[in-house]
Amino acid sequence: MKTEGPEPRFQPVRSAGILRRPGERAIEAMLLAAALASVAITLGIVGVLLYESAAFFRQVAPLEFFTDTQWTPLFSEPRYGIAPLVCGTVVTTAVALAVAVPAGTIVAVYLSEYASPLLREIVKPVMELLSAVPTVVYGYFALLFVTPLLQRVWPELPGFNMLSAGLVIGVMIIPYVSSVSEDAMRAVPLSLREGSYALGATRMQTAVRVVVPCALSGMAAAYVLAVSRAIGETMVVAIAAGMQPTLTWNPLEPAATLTAYIVQVSLGDLPHGSIGYRTIFAAGLVLFLMTLAFNIAGHVLRKRLYQAY
Amino acid sequence: MMSRQLREGLFAVAGLLTMLVALFALGALLAGLAMDGWDRLSWRFFASYPSRFPEQAGILAAWVGTVLVMVVTAFAAVPLGLAAAVYLEEYAPTHWLTDLIDINVANLAGVPSIVYGLMALGLFVYRFGLGHSVLTAGLTLALLILPMVIIATREAIRSVPDGVREAAYALGATKWQTVKDHVVPYSMGGILTGIILALSRAIGETAPLITVGALSFIAFLPHPPWQAEFPFVSFQWLLDPFTVLPMQMFNWVSRPQEEFHRNAAGAGLVLMAMTLAMNALAIYVRARFRKRIRW
């Protein structure tokens, strides 16, 4: 969001521009059109999802969609209950958050309050590389390295399971959580830390009792936005969690997520306009609404942080 | 009760260890790819089409497809992103429409990539009739990375002091002259860094391309960009079917045979090399431009 500066930026007299350069106005119009392209993208996304989902719901009752416990749209006896896909998404997201939130928070506190500037300068770019790795590579890692490792702990663990997919997604978003959380901590004025030190507090006490509470709104934003990231992750779950819609809360079992289902159908040759084709848009709409809700919540929390000082 | 010093030290160690575990995960991932995939890297691997026989399979169609899709992505996203960022940072008045665009860009950055794929499937593939083509793929990825380009470019432009603008205005320059000749050149380091990182993100994207119909198995290349008759440059390749490296890797990792997993690791190594090279380039560009600029 735009920052409120002490005074507005200098604006030249517009009439002078018009008189001297007829092209100035045209250039400004072109630049505005480019900026509006981002609005057009959103309208395109919402438009396509609503249009195709409306066609889907003309064939499937919304009540069935939200209450049925089986998702078998491509079977000979099709059923259209979204619950198994949402359940799979929730479980993998929960596992991912269980990894990313504590690890990301600890890393953020460490980098913000303990690390020397040099160490911070070296580590942050490397942490960002974790985000730069293509997600299909993470999927490979989850299926062929993490799952075999976990099977030594749980010999009965199936080859596809939500646990390894969730763990790897968690590792993927650690940099995101730590980066956003650290930004929140750095926004806390130094004077608050100095006040704490002046009273004899140790660095840990200062971090835990002064900095973290002050930065809590920003850190909450980091967690909420991380949820959105984990929900939207596609390739890791498509590769490692299986593509078998199952209504289960047990991460040791295989299941399909909303995103993995979309991949599965897209890999096939469904005819355009069929109800099977439309199911991926209905799933996409649910996915979009879930991530949108968390994104909005995250931005609201983040904005609140910067209003406090 | 532990002493304060002991708790202090333990917490510092815990923080350091957690960070090292995260970095170790990256190292383990790279080591795993290298162990499994290094043997597969050969001239033949780069020059062969996919095959039912793992030892004969290669990534020719995939890496060529990746290059072509990235060309389209860059040509579409970069001018659009730069123009949008310049408008939002230099021209936009305080206005509800400006706020709408701001919120919109921020929200788009959080939309799952597969949702972009669904939008592209509905609009580009069917509504606009572009089909399952390089052009569709490039435009899809361009829209996906557009918010990143806009956000990075805006940050770069914002870092240019107002004094530079005021000096230009004082000499009678118009707003566009100020932007074109001073603001953008001075922020070019940050802009280039943002663009490179955005393209690095796009190069590894798989989900939206699956949705728009990247092929799992392709044994030919798109048309060449030249032709025998005038005007000698050809754009036929834009409408050709395609695959990309991450798609090829996904196909191989999903096979049950272990030999194909090694092929997947080889493709993954190539993909990682491209991604890391782009990130290294971004870091280099950022550092180099930072040295040149003195306010």
Side-chain angles (χ1 to χ4, degrees):
Chain A
M1 294 301 297
K2 184 167 294 187
T3 316
E4 290 269 346
E7 60 188 42
R9 178 173 294 156
F10 175 74
Q11 293 286 339
V13 179
R14 295 168 82 87
S15 59
I18 294 173
L19 288 176
R20 282 188 291 157
R21 290 293 187 105
E24 284 281 321
R25 180 76 77 171
I27 289 172
E28 184 170 347
M30 284 171 56
L31 296 177
L32 172 58
L36 288 172
S38 67
V39 177
I41 297 173
T42 298
L43 294 179
I45 289 174
V46 174
V48 167
L49 290 179
L50 288 182
Y51 177 82
E52 299 287 358
S53 295
F56 171 80
F57 283 117
R58 278 195 286 269
Q59 292 179 261
V60 176
L63 187 64
E64 179 192 343
F65 184 72
F66 288 115
T67 60
D68 199 331
T69 57
Q70 289 191 42
W71 179 258
T72 58
L74 308 180
F75 287 15
S76 53
E77 289 186 24
R79 291 174 65 173
Y80 302 98
I82 197 72
L85 298 182
V86 172
C87 187
T89 301
V90 169
V91 173
T92 53
T93 299
V95 174
L97 270 268
V99 171
V101 168
T105 303
I106 292 173
V107 170
V109 172
Y110 181 80
L111 286 177
S112 170
E113 308 298 318
Y114 285 82
S116 68
L118 178 63
L119 180 62
R120 195 180 299 135
E121 195 78 13
I122 293 173
V123 167
K124 288 197 80 174
V126 182
M127 291 288 291
E128 282 167 16
L129 284 184
L130 278 172
S131 302
V133 175
T135 56
V136 68
V137 174
Y138 273 120
Y140 167 94
F141 185 65
L143 179 65
L144 297 180
F145 284 95
V146 175
T147 293
L149 275 180
L150 294 177
Q151 284 172 334
R152 298 187 195 175
V153 180
W154 287 282
E156 303 306 315
L157 189 69
F160 297 114
N161 61 86
M162 290 185 282
L163 183 61
S164 64
L167 292 177
V168 170
I169 294 174
V171 169
M172 272 178 61
I173 61 183
I174 287 176
Y176 187 75
V177 174
S178 67
S179 175
V180 177
S181 296
E182 192 202 337
D183 287 348
M185 289 178 203
R186 285 172 159 291
V188 176
L190 197 58
S191 54
L192 296 185
R193 291 179 182 79
E194 287 164 356
S196 180
Y197 292 139
L199 292 174
T202 65
R203 202 165 359 189
M204 186 184 81
Q205 286 168 335
T206 299
V208 171
R209 298 190 183 196
V210 175
V211 177
V212 166
C214 288
L216 205 55
S217 189
M219 294 171 70
Y223 304 150
V224 172
L225 292 169
V227 171
S228 175
R229 282 279 181 110
I231 289 173
E233 175 45 41
T234 308
M235 297 315 297
V236 175
V237 288
I239 292 172
M243 293 189 179
Q244 175 186 326
T246 307
L247 188 60
T248 176
W249 301 103
N250 182 0
L252 302 185
E253 293 182 18
T257 62
L258 290 159
T259 49
Y261 171 73
I262 297 171
V263 165
Q264 182 186 37
V265 174
S266 299
L267 287 170
D269 280 318
L270 270 183
H272 171 49
S274 67
I275 186 168
Y277 167 83
R278 294 203 161 106
T279 56
I280 62 176
F281 291 92
L285 182 61
V286 173
L287 178 69
F288 178 72
L289 292 176
M290 287 172 76
T291 53
L292 182 65
F294 282 104
N295 284 337
I296 291 175
H299 284 118
V300 168
L301 286 165
R302 204 169 188 173
K303 201 170 177 181
R304 181 180 302 170
L305 168 72
Y306 292 113
Q307 284 168 355
Y309 302 121
Chain B
M1 189 66 157
M2 275 190 293
S3 71
R4 284 157 45 121
Q5 286 73 28
L6 184 56
R7 285 213 309 273
E8 183 81 6
L10 282 180
F11 187 86
V13 169
L16 190 59
L17 283 181
T18 305
M19 195 168 65
L20 291 180
V21 165
L23 299 178
F24 174 79
L26 181 63
L29 186 148
L30 289 171
L33 282 181
M35 278 165 45
D36 272 6
W38 186 258
D39 287 348
R40 294 295 297 123
L41 297 185
S42 67
W43 176 250
R44 190 177 173 197
F45 188 64
F46 282 90
S48 301
Y49 291 108
S51 168
R52 286 182 298 120
F53 308 105
E55 66 280 359
Q56 295 175 32
I59 58 172
L60 176 61
W63 72 259
V64 170
T66 292
V67 171
L68 294 180
V69 170
M70 291 308 297
V71 167
V72 178
T73 302
F75 266 96
V78 172
L80 199 59
L82 260 62
V86 165
Y87 177 81
L88 291 171
E89 205 58 37
E90 297 293 320
Y91 285 82
T94 302
H95 189 271
W96 67 266
L97 182 60
T98 303
D99 288 340
L100 174 69
I101 297 173
D102 278 347
I103 293 170
N104 188 75
V105 169
N107 184 64
L108 281 180
V111 173
S113 59
I114 199 156
V115 170
Y116 281 93
L118 290 177
M119 183 258 283
L121 179 64
L123 285 183
F124 297 150
V125 174
Y126 291 120
R127 180 75 54 178
F128 297 160
L130 302 184
H132 309 291
S133 64
V134 172
L135 182 59
T136 293
L139 292 179
T140 306
L141 294 185
L143 297 188
L144 176 71
I145 65 172
L146 186 67
M148 294 173 66
V149 175
I150 292 176
I151 290 169
T153 303
R154 289 187 68 184
E155 285 175 9
I157 290 175
R158 196 176 297 146
S159 69
V160 178
D162 278 339
V164 171
R165 296 174 181 81
E166 287 160 9
Y169 293 139
L171 293 174
T174 66
K175 186 185 262 307
W176 176 240
Q177 283 171 332
T178 301
V179 169
K180 171 170 62 72
D181 294 331
H182 302 288
V183 174
V184 168
Y186 279 137
S187 53
M188 188 55 64
I191 293 175
L192 284 179
T193 301
I195 290 170
I196 295 168
L197 290 176
L199 292 175
S200 166
R201 158 83 190 275
I203 210 168
E205 275 297 335
T206 319
L209 300 189
I210 291 176
T211 312
V212 300
L215 295 180
S216 293
F217 188 95
I218 187 170
F220 54 89
L221 292 181
H223 287 84
W226 55 83
Q227 58 186 9
E229 314 91 46
F230 182 86
F232 307 115
V233 175
S234 168
F235 292 102
Q236 178 70 39
W237 54 277
L238 284 170
L239 296 178
D240 288 341
F242 71 100
T243 190
V244 288
L245 270 169
M247 190 73 192
Q248 186 64 73
M249 185 183 183
F250 175 58
N251 177 269
W252 281 335
V253 79
S254 302
R255 306 284 193 100
Q257 302 97 319
E258 187 173 326
E259 292 76 28
F260 278 115
H261 295 168
R262 269 202 272 279
N263 283 1
L269 270 181
V270 176
L271 194 53
M272 284 295 299
M274 294 168 89
T275 302
L276 293 181
M278 292 177 82
N279 276 269
L281 177 62
I283 292 172
Y284 170 80
V285 167
R286 182 192 285 145
R288 179 176 169 80
F289 275 86
R290 187 177 291 171
K291 258 184 270 184
R292 278 182 41 189
I293 301 292
R294 293 285 181 267
W295 303 119

